[in-house]
Amino acid sequence: MGKLGVAVIGLNGAVATTAAAGIAAIRAGSNDLAGLPLADRQGTGLHDYRDIEFAGWDLNGRSMAEAAQAHEVVPAATLSAVREELAGIRPWPAIGSTDFCANIDGDNKMNGGCGHRAAVQQIKDDLDRLRETRGVDDLVVINLASTERLPNANGLLERLDAFEEGLDANAPEISPAMLYAYAAIDHRVPYANFTPSVAADAKALVEFAEKRGVPIAGKDGKTGQTMMKTVIAPALRDRALHVDGWFSTNILGNSDGLALDDPKSLASKVNTKKRVLDQILGYPVEDHIVMIHYYRPRGDAKEAWDNIDVSGFLGQKMQIKVNFLCQDSILAAPLVIEIARVLDLAAKRGDGGVQEQMSLFFKLPQTRGGRQPEHEFSCQVRMLDAWLEQGTPN
Amino acid sequence: MGKLGVAVIGLNGAVATTAAAGIAAIRAGSNDLAGLPLADRQGTGLHDYRDIEFAGWDLNGRSMAEAAQAHEVVPAATLSAVREELAGIRPWPAIGSTDFCANIDGDNKMNGGCGHRAAVQQIKDDLDRLRETRGVDDLVVINLASTERLPNANGLLERLDAFEEGLDANAPEISPAMLYAYAAIDHRVPYANFTPSVAADAKALVEFAEKRGVPIAGKDGKTGQTMMKTVIAPALRDRALHVDGWFSTNILGNSDGLALDDPKSLASKVNTKKRVLDQILGYPVEDHIVMIHYYRPRGDAKEAWDNIDVSGFLGQKMQIKVNFLCQDSILAAPLVIEIARVLDLAAKRGDGGVQEQMSLFFKLPQTRGGRQPEHEFSCQVRMLDAWLEQGTPN
Amino acid sequence: MGKLGVAVIGLNGAVATTAAAGIAAIRAGSNDLAGLPLADRQGTGLHDYRDIEFAGWDLNGRSMAEAAQAHEVVPAATLSAVREELAGIRPWPAIGSTDFCANIDGDNKMNGGCGHRAAVQQIKDDLDRLRETRGVDDLVVINLASTERLPNANGLLERLDAFEEGLDANAPEISPAMLYAYAAIDHRVPYANFTPSVAADAKALVEFAEKRGVPIAGKDGKTGQTMMKTVIAPALRDRALHVDGWFSTNILGNSDGLALDDPKSLASKVNTKKRVLDQILGYPVEDHIVMIHYYRPRGDAKEAWDNIDVSGFLGQKMQIKVNFLCQDSILAAPLVIEIARVLDLAAKRGDGGVQEQMSLFFKLPQTRGGRQPEHEFSCQVRMLDAWLEQGTPN
Amino acid sequence: MGKLGVAVIGLNGAVATTAAAGIAAIRAGSNDLAGLPLADRQGTGLHDYRDIEFAGWDLNGRSMAEAAQAHEVVPAATLSAVREELAGIRPWPAIGSTDFCANIDGDNKMNGGCGHRAAVQQIKDDLDRLRETRGVDDLVVINLASTERLPNANGLLERLDAFEEGLDANAPEISPAMLYAYAAIDHRVPYANFTPSVAADAKALVEFAEKRGVPIAGKDGKTGQTMMKTVIAPALRDRALHVDGWFSTNILGNSDGLALDDPKSLASKVNTKKRVLDQILGYPVEDHIVMIHYYRPRGDAKEAWDNIDVSGFLGQKMQIKVNFLCQDSILAAPLVIEIARVLDLAAKRGDGGVQEQMSLFFKLPQTRGGRQPEHEFSCQVRMLDAWLEQGTPN
């Protein structure tokens, strides 16, 4: 089937370096496929893991090997086995904006001063160069960059023509995440947003993706706490246990945590984390609190503590406490890999626009035609299964 | 539709008294239906909650009002509102056996010395009397008695004819739970087993239920920890997180806990709690430990602590800890009520034998034709939904 | 020994009503002294619990019986036994200030418009009236009001003469808590501050208390999470386990929680909660996070979750998680009672000024002569023991 | 001061290899003294850490480097730095007994068949050889072997003369742990017991140690859960919070856990863990449950979960849950090192018999003259401090 190039925004982050190390390890012969949900889907038209090539943009210009070393997520033995491959990959200069992401900056910036249209052209040139220099046949773009603040509400994001006028005028409402999404769609490269930032989910860009017939999906990868929420809440509903309150707190010490230490970025994140409950339960949970704290002793080892207060028969109160000691990037990396494979398959099948069957990967799934998103985990699993089955040769 | 009589083995236990208090409260006008999973199923042919009448057997002969008071589960205000109704219900003498349940005994025993056949006849007479004296139209029997030890393996439980010979011979392998089940089936009264004891799931009695066309279901009510297990495990499987170990411990201080303080009864219980994981995950979990401790400070407020060790991408280890501070009887009582309603509906529909669609109520669902039980919670929910839909008028 | 009158600022709060109900229950014959740390101190000159009389100020003017009923802290049986006594106590009008405490207001306000000096006079008149009408011999004032925001830094709080000029000028920097403290000291009534608000710990008022020879103590009652912190941290130090981080979060739904939902009041509170660690450990803990969330499902049942990250031998990381499901007012009320008894004993002994031996009751103990406070719980226990022994007749 | 030789029973276990690796790392220049409680005690006469030499017995004959590698406790970088030193140390043949420790066996056994007296002589010869071949001036013996079952009650352990007759007669009541203890005392080498096995705490051997003037201390190292218990329980007592129940469970997967998977060894262990509470609180805790489970996914990373049920003011119930994710050997190893240093100092000071000031290191401290042991952690700390001060030059 040829090679699948995955161009990542935020290539030197913990998630992308972990994903790239894992793929390199499989290519080097490892058959440990733990954490990869679609590992047993043979004959569905998905690219083999060994065919995946990582590239992309980052404000930090060191090699992926150096970045992986610094994140301390990839086990030493694995890193040592794949170091050479990762040492050969350096990120392309990225678009930086401390306006949209206050705590994150770096030196490896695109030549500024030329404005939005120049940035879009640069992104497309980067993608072309990837195709040529690394023998890549298929291509997807995935956003793994730090969370941006919410954009100022603006008609400009509502319609494609307004958005394109904004591009011409270098409108400050257009964020880096939107420029990457626009460029990918414009270049007919499938695009997924693993972050809470507003990007291809802006109405203008959904319109663009449909027009161009480019598959898009998002947003905000569903890894630890929210995944558990969408697993447990349906059961509470099905047992008629009323959720009086749900208190969720998180501590993590990686650069994702640092980005979220900016209240504006945090607002984007919490926003996508809070919506899931009410839709699943069918009523508003009045005391639903979600907190994220930057706490350095943990590094990438994110810990979530959830306290669920429920009322049952005769109004009696009960509590469920869930304490998830997870590895943020270890949970996220294999999802990114699967997203790339499914997105590419959608392109091959000629499915353009929003890929709703990919809901199980996201905290806030994009949907078609204004439909309410499906948040219930077991329903999402069945939705993707059914979609994959369609293409399975009998 | 007339009245539905629910004859309970273990009528004065915390679960039955809670269920009866709840039904009495609804009959008295309460519209709090929290905890009742089928409360919104109108027009399916299920009995209205207000039509349910409780009666049954117990080794303890006090009134249900006194028993409810002693268990301290029903809130004071509710109990006060329904005390008169419960004060009027006294359990019939029960079959006691400290051989099968070492820690539980009482004075309200059936006139002993007459053997198995006499006990069976007494049970049938009790059911007839219930029908006559309380104007009950439909009838079900539900086992809520303390957990019995596992019976000695014996061909006698394998075939109906051998079992009936055992009845004649007063075989010591036949436990009280089996006598109640036999009598119910013989009397064409639907029967459910909410305990881990061996009863209508003995092959001989399954054969009997099929022959007689009597609906049966079981076994061991799925309330707290195991319910959560069947909710969480499928998601771990679907995210390809490998379960290296699952450590479950429970502390509770009610009479259920006291019964389980006998190692033989405990063995029955743990047995039904342990099977669910491997079936859901598709591989054996080598370190799956389930403990139950009798710990008096808790009374009926059972607490479960689960520690799940998983491996994800690149073999990295993570932990999920679930701490469920539940009220054992508050979770169980509404399930008992729904079991009674569904079982009766099955009888009305003419469905005899094992009611597999009731799997979501049980830790170890009985199945037909040797099928593996379905343990996954969301699948069980859909299974019952589909069955209920069948009978819904269009 | 006569009666000890306890005049409480915040008389209708959960803590004061619980304390008053407990004392009334003991007077009515209960001999359950659980939670009262000095219950076994006979012959030390402390007032008998049965001699204590509660009175005080509150913005809410209902009777203590109604208030206790609303807080749902005192068990129904106890409340019923003491209702008559509590029904007879109504709070005096209090000084309100939504400037200093944004989320708390009420109708039972002192006749405003007359300024600081009038308020002070009113407080003194109230105390005189208590002495006369209820036959009280000894008197103490205790602040249990909602947490005020930190005052604006101002020289006015540094020296008594400046403070008194501020009183004359109705300076807005002077908060209600300071007015009560000033009035008590001026009237030679011992004063304790169970809240984090700045009151008798302002330098000007310490100077005043020393000058007048009036015992004062504070501040911020040490009940749940911080108490545990001062118990556990010394052991970590003594085992040479280095604290890399300590994450503390709290959820509570009583009016204390509502007051703290105002960020300015929260700042006062967190401030007193954070200081203890560094002093005990002897080095600054870089990642010490303390959060308090208003979460209504809990009411008065405060829950604290602490996560302690430590490094041990060979730099290896370990975690201690402490989850305290406490009843805020149940922990606080008996401390308030003991504070009143000890403060009165200090007055009888002629000890004026800061009562450092009372450190074990407070999160931020006031000290004499600029000494660092002792936070270690076991040392605090020994300090009070030694002080009590002094007065014990041989 | 010369070298201090530490002869360990169980040299190739996780604790001893960790301790030896840590000492080697300090000798090699590391100045990370985390976890070593007496690291800041200069001028007290304690040996410098760099002077310590490890040797000893083990049923497993591989080198300490291989053993350390297998335990996966020492971090890879540290192990690599000290591998050469550890590779040079191989344990002497040990006394094995599957009667006393069912789950633990190995090939590196003392030449059997010769009986108790021969074993004692072999141990003394081993100690002499250590002195000669490694230039060791001072010597201590520390028992770190797997937990033995409780010995059968027997007068033989009550008096020295009876014990010595038992030695002559190869009495089966005498366990390996007792033989090592006897040999050490007989050879005038200080002895400490870090395990729950009965050894120098048998009355006969206490008598022997006093007669010979040899310092002994024990027993059962106080590391994680029990340490926390002796820290928290005094505070509950001092706040008058009544302990209704304390449920403690442990999961661990190292060979200590495997040894405890034998019910007889477990009984020894639980026995020493349960006594501490009642002495500290001053009343018997009726529901005090202590469980230890062998759970392989954890390896050496022991996890303790404690649930404490307390009653406070007005009889209200509260819960404290403590979850300690510790590294068993990381907590134990530095204590072993400090025990060796203190024991040697006692010998130098001429203190023979039971070293009560070492109570803070043990779950069940040995005392002199039948005194009740002091379990309260802060009191134990002060006791050792005072003893160390005695010898400090002014």
Side-chain angles (χ1 to χ4, degrees), chain C residues 36-102:
Chain C
L36 289 159
L38 305 180
D40 54 359
R41 297 299 184 130
Q42 311 295 339
T44 41
L46 296 169
H47 262 286
D48 191 286
Y49 296 118
R50 288 166 296 189
D51 299 338
I52 295 173
E53 297 280 337
F54 280 91
W57 305 264
D58 206 293
L59 289 167
N60 178 310
R62 57 188 166 178
S63 79
M64 286 192 87
E66 290 169 88
Q69 179 86 33
H71 292 305
E72 296 187 352
V73 175
V74 178
T78 305
L79 186 51
S80 151
V82 305
R83 188 184 308 270
E84 200 176 352
E85 176 170 340
L86 296 194
I89 311 176
R90 276 184 191 275
W92 311 314
I95 315 171
S97 167
T98 50
D99 170 23
F100 276 96
C101 192

Side-chain angles (χ1 to χ4, degrees), chain C residues 341-370:
Chain C
R341 299 205 305 158
V342 174
L343 210 49
D344 168 69
L345 180 57
K348 285 207 172 64
R349 286 190 186 176
D351 286 2
V354 174
Q355 302 299 307
E356 204 167 334
Q357 80 283 1
M358 295 174 69
S359 296
L360 82 167
F361 296 120
F362 299 108
K363 286 196 192 75
L364 186 54
Q366 282 188 254
T367 61
R368 296 191 184 210

Side-chain angles (χ1 to χ4, degrees), chain A residues 242-247 284-289 307-311 315-321, chain C residues 71-72 251-254 293-303 326-327:
Chain A
H242 185 271
V243 177
D244 302 324
W246 195 308
F247 176 80
V285 175
E286 294 190 19
D287 288 79
H288 184 197
I289 297 176
N307 189 94
I308 316 167
D309 282 83
V310 299
S311 295
Q316 293 301 282
K317 309 292 185 192
M318 293 170 278
Q319 297 177 18
I320 303 169
K321 297 165 196 302
Chain C
H71 292 305
E72 296 187 352
I251 50 182
L252 84 166
N254 59 17
H293 299 284
Y294 180 53
Y295 179 73
R296 293 173 306 166
R298 287 308 165 81
D300 191 68
K302 190 178 192 173
E303 176 164 353
C326 69
Q327 301 271 16

